Amino acid sequence: MPITATILDVALERPDQLALVGDGARLSYGELVEDSRVAFAVVDALHRAQPAPPAPAAEAQGIPITAVSTTSAFFTARLIAGLAGYRAVSATIDPRWPLDHQIGVIRTTGIGLVISDSPVLSEALAATGWTGTVITPAEFAARESQIRGAGAQAPAPTVRDGSEPFLMLFSSGTTSNPKAFIKTRQQYRDNVAVSSAHLEPLPGVASLAPGPVSYSLTLYAVIESLATGGSVHLADEFDPFAIGSRIAAEAITRIVAVPAVVRALAEAAGRSPERFRGLQLVVTGGANLPASIRSALAAVLPDTRLISYYGAAEIGFIGDSRDGDGTWIRIYPTIGAQIRDETGAEVAEGELGTLWIDAAACSDGYVAGTTDAVLRGPDGWATVDDQGRIVDGLLQLAGRAGDIAVTGGHKVSLPEVERAFDTFPRLGEVVAVAVDDANLGSLIALVIEEGGAEAEPAADGTSGPLADKAALLEHARTRLAPQFVPRRIYVLERLPRTVGGKIRRAETARLIMDGQGERL
């Protein structure tokens, strides 16, 4: 269902229904339509005022690209929603990205307008000769006030053609520079059709989506809620205790959040369960949800369901798991999935290989200039190089291509090694890596973040010693095939992470090879 069609319908039938709610700000559907007329008038004027505007990437079909790079989730969401009913391509840029990442994607994709409160970014772009415009959110708001005062709003938003570009998104991974891709309006409509069938963004439902809208999970929550006539509540940062009060006060029944937030939610609900009683559904992204998170939530909120979905930003929603540790994923009926080898041939059932997907919501490809990677094959199927196996129609993921190690002639899924330690008490964050070995080519090592692995506290309340190596290995041997059991165990003071909090596996391995870890 098109996002703008629904916004217009709800604004006509139930204009006072909440559409967007942020930290100290809210817009009803009726107000959102009027707000979009003002926002687009400002954006359009800023693009038109440029003497020599940057040329948008060819994939944008000549439509000017507007990017929002701010920590305000509400501001970002209202701009994305507001521009949806006009000839505009929107993008979100994480302001926490390295400066060279931000400059790179702006210049290579032909973004012409950036709304950002970073003077460093503005100065750096000017120094490169970029001919676009940077404006702060405060300056943007001042221009909106002028538009309202002059009565110079744009015409009302309309439902656009499905083939028209809608959003420019980025997939940065854990080590590479951001890769850009376009979602057309039809591709996003197809994506909403899948999520609305399985993840329950129902009409009138109040969903909470805490976190930056530059995260694809949060952005999808905004789009799918508005596309189905729901209300989406946003938060710049996740404060689990303040969120409890908000859930009760705003009658929020659905949360869409990353696994780390779900873990914090369970801890907060354990302290004040009465504030979370109305919560019916928690939706989290990412494959292989740790069983400890699911069990922790079930223990304090037994009537709250938890769905862990798997998807790729480029492709769309693929499937989900609803029990256990999320290891086995039920693929949605409208999605095609195959496991193929290096030659492109489909492998036998149960064998590891590269996952290929056939989905209507899939982007056509990456924006030229941002990557050499190929998204779609000649047959139209797509891959983001996720590895996995299919057994009895269920998908088990094994990570990306870089998450598969070969040791002694055996293929080992490093995420499978990590999952085995999810039930080890008080271990904290771990990552499995492959390190060079003269005999085996590589061997499997487990790297533990310092402060996570502790024994039972001593009688005086102080922390015990670091977890015993023998206990860790015995734990692994009872849960893993012999070739998966780590040969070495290291401790690092802090595991390297992306700005989004994902552990950088390759960088961790380099630190260990450089001798920076303490070997147990």
Side-chain angles (χ1 to χ4, degrees):
M1 184 180 293
I3 175 176
T4 304
T6 305
I7 290 173
L8 293 174
D9 287 345
V10 177
L12 181 64
E13 298 169 6
R14 303 184 302 278
D16 294 332
Q17 179 182 319
L18 287 175
L20 296 172
V21 183
D23 295 329
R26 57 184 61 210
L27 283 174
S28 69
Y29 273 86
E31 291 168 337
L32 178 59
V33 170
E34 292 307 307
D35 185 77
S36 68
R37 297 179 61 193
V38 176
F40 179 73
V42 174
V43 166
D44 187 48
L46 287 167
H47 279 293
R48 292 179 183 277
Q50 296 167 353
E59 293 83 356
Q61 300 178 19
I63 300 174
I65 306 170
T66 300
V68 184
S69 181
T70 174
T71 57
S72 171
F74 180 83
F75 181 89
T76 305
R78 83 170 181 88
L79 258 293
I80 296 294
L83 297 184
Y86 297 92
R87 185 177 180 272
V89 174
S90 302
T92 61
I93 295 176
D94 194 329
R96 299 173 303 168
W97 278 357
L99 184 61
D100 61 333
H101 278 30
Q102 298 181 54
I103 294 172
V105 298
I106 291 169
R107 287 181 55 81
T108 56
T109 61
I111 291 172
L113 172 63
V114 180
I115 306 170
S116 168
D117 47 18
S118 170
V120 175
L121 176 61
S122 178
E123 294 169 4
L125 282 168
T128 67
W130 177 71
T131 58
T133 303
V134 178
I135 186 172
T136 69
E139 292 168 338
F140 191 91
R143 287 175 177 264
E144 288 182 305
S145 295
Q146 293 172 359
I147 291 289
R148 291 188 183 94
Q153 293 94 329
T158 59
V159 178
R160 311 292 300 181
D161 185 84
S163 63
E164 192 174 87
F166 172 36
L167 289 176
M168 176 179 285
L169 305 171
F170 303 97
S171 176
S172 60
T174 57
T175 57
S176 61
N177 289 339
K179 300 185 293 252
F181 55 95
I182 290 284
K183 286 287 187 188
T184 66
R185 296 172 186 278
Q186 186 58 51
Q187 287 165 352
Y188 229 113
R189 292 166 190 169
D190 291 330
N191 205 33
V192 169
V194 176
S195 66
S196 61
H198 302 284
L199 303 179
E200 305 178 31
L202 304 176
V205 165
S207 296
L208 171 65
V213 180
S214 55
Y215 288 4
S216 60
L217 177 142
T218 311
L219 177 60
Y220 287 171
V222 171
I223 298 297
E224 69 182 4
S225 292
L226 296 178
T228 53
S231 303
V232 60
H233 296 249
L234 302 153
D236 299 339
E237 295 180 354
F238 182 74
D239 181 340
F241 304 105
I243 289 298
S245 299
R246 190 170 174 184
I247 288 172
E250 301 280 6
I252 292 168
T253 60
R254 179 175 177 266
I255 287 183
V256 183
V258 297
V261 167
V262 178
R263 187 190 298 273
L265 177 71
E267 293 174 358
R271 293 179 172 87
S272 304
E274 66 282 354
R275 296 183 176 182
F276 298 84
R277 295 300 186 199
L279 195 57
Q280 299 174 9
L281 177 63
V282 174
V283 177
T284 188
N288 304 324
L289 179 75
S292 59
I293 294 180
R294 187 179 295 276
S295 59
L297 187 68
V300 294
L301 297 174
D303 297 326
T304 302
R305 294 173 295 125
L306 175 60
I307 300 175
S308 173
Y309 75 79
Y310 163 62
E314 299 94 321
I315 296 172
F317 296 104
I318 295 170
D320 67 46
S321 62
R322 305 187 179 214
D323 53 33
D325 62 359
T327 302
W328 293 99
I329 297 165
R330 177 180 59 91
I331 302 166
Y332 295 137
T334 56
I335 305 299
Q338 291 181 353
I339 303 296
R340 302 178 182 178
D341 63 17
E342 295 84 352
T343 69
E346 192 169 2
V347 305
E349 180 169 307
E351 287 190 15
L352 276 175
T354 301
L355 175 65
W356 287 79
I357 295 294
D358 180 27
C362 184
S363 296
D364 295 328
Y366 293 110
V367 173
T370 64
T371 181
D372 294 328
V374 176
L375 178 61
R376 286 181 180 262
D379 60 358
W381 287 55
T383 184
V384 291
D385 291 326
D386 279 344
Q387 306 294 295
R389 58 172 67 89
I390 295 177
V391 178
D392 294 332
L394 295 176
L395 170 66
Q396 184 184 52
L397 291 170
R400 292 287 172 96
D403 296 331
I404 304 297
V406 178
T407 177
H410 298 284
K411 284 186 177 180
V412 173
S413 164
L414 297 174
E416 286 187 38
V417 176
E418 294 158 4
R419 285 198 298 271
F421 290 91
D422 183 54
T423 54
F424 194 95
R426 293 168 298 281
L427 188 59
E429 294 284 359
V430 302
V431 60
V433 299
V435 296
D436 294 341
D437 180 77
N439 296 320
L440 298 176
S442 66
L443 54 80
I444 308 304
L446 185 74
V447 185
I448 304 169
E449 190 165 61
E450 187 174 352
E454 295 181 348
E456 291 286 350
D460 61 1
T462 59
S463 297
L466 197 65
D468 181 67
K469 177 182 178 181
L472 289 165
L473 292 178
E474 180 61 25
H475 181 90
R477 293 188 186 105
T478 61
R479 291 163 174 80
L480 294 169
Q483 65 270 24
F484 281 61
V485 175
R487 298 291 189 95
R488 298 177 187 170
I489 299 177
Y490 296 89
V491 177
L492 272 177
E493 181 178 355
R494 184 166 182 79
L495 294 172
R497 288 174 168 81
T498 66
V499 294
K502 293 182 179 180
I503 297 172
R504 294 183 182 270
R505 190 186 308 280
E507 186 174 338
T508 301
R510 286 195 294 271
L511 293 174
I512 295 302
M513 294 296 292
D514 289 342
Q516 296 191 39
E518 175 189 351
R519 184 174 176 181
L520 297 186

